[in-house]
Amino acid sequence: MLSGAPTTTSVSANSPISLGNTLTLSAQVAAVDTKNGIPGGKVDFFDETTSTDLGAAALDGAGNATFDTVPTSSGDHQIDAFYSGDGTFDQSDTTGNSAIVSVTIDTSTSLSASNGSPNAGDTITLFASISSNNGTPTAGSVD
């Protein structure tokens, strides 16, 4: 049963980012009725895609919290923030208003030919090499 003042929670993130880089999550908790003041306490960040509790951060005097983490997998991640309340203010979360974070893998492509000095009409074979500092790409195509 809720007994405090109602709140709203929103979440945002620096997206897209490359795998291995720092993801900064930001949450804002606000009182529905501003005459009640500014909520205090902490916000917990959760990756719904991987079912991972990322960690918590304290709200500042304006009701904002930031948290840095480094994603361990690529793809789209659904991030939610959960405010636990503080005795004066009720809990709230971002369920339904999640931040979607796109984590990409940086790659580089090099191209070489079987014959470095072909003449008109010569047959050559092109070789493409794809690399990444986050592992070896194993699927996809080169156009």
Side-chain angles (χ1 to χ4, degrees), residues 82-138:
F82 298 90
Y83 171 60
S84 57
D86 70 357
T88 301
F89 293 96
D90 285 336
Q91 64 186 24
S92 58
D93 61 54
T94 59
T95 302
N97 290 313
S98 308
I100 302 300
V101 174
S102 179
V103 181
T104 60
I105 296 177
D106 289 336
T107 60
S108 60
T109 304
S110 62
L111 186 64
S112 61
S114 61
N115 181 349
S117 301
N119 293 314
D122 286 352
T123 300
I124 63 169
T125 303
L126 297 175
F127 301 96
S129 176
I130 313 299
S131 61
S132 170
N133 58 0
N134 292 308
T136 302
T138 59

Side-chain angles (χ1 to χ4, degrees), residues 23 25 44-48 50-56 67-71 78-80:
L23 171 64
L25 304 172
D44 193 41
F45 295 93
F46 195 81
D47 184 338
E48 300 288 352
T50 61
S51 299
T52 304
D53 186 347
L54 301 172
F67 182 80
D68 289 338
T69 186
V70 177
Q78 177 184 334
I79 306 297
D80 281 316

Side-chain angles (χ1 to χ4, degrees), residues 16-36:
I17 66 163
S18 296
L19 187 65
N21 289 332
T22 299
L23 171 64
T24 300
L25 304 172
S26 300
Q28 182 176 32
V29 179
V32 171
D33 186 347
T34 57
K35 74 178 181 186
N36 291 319

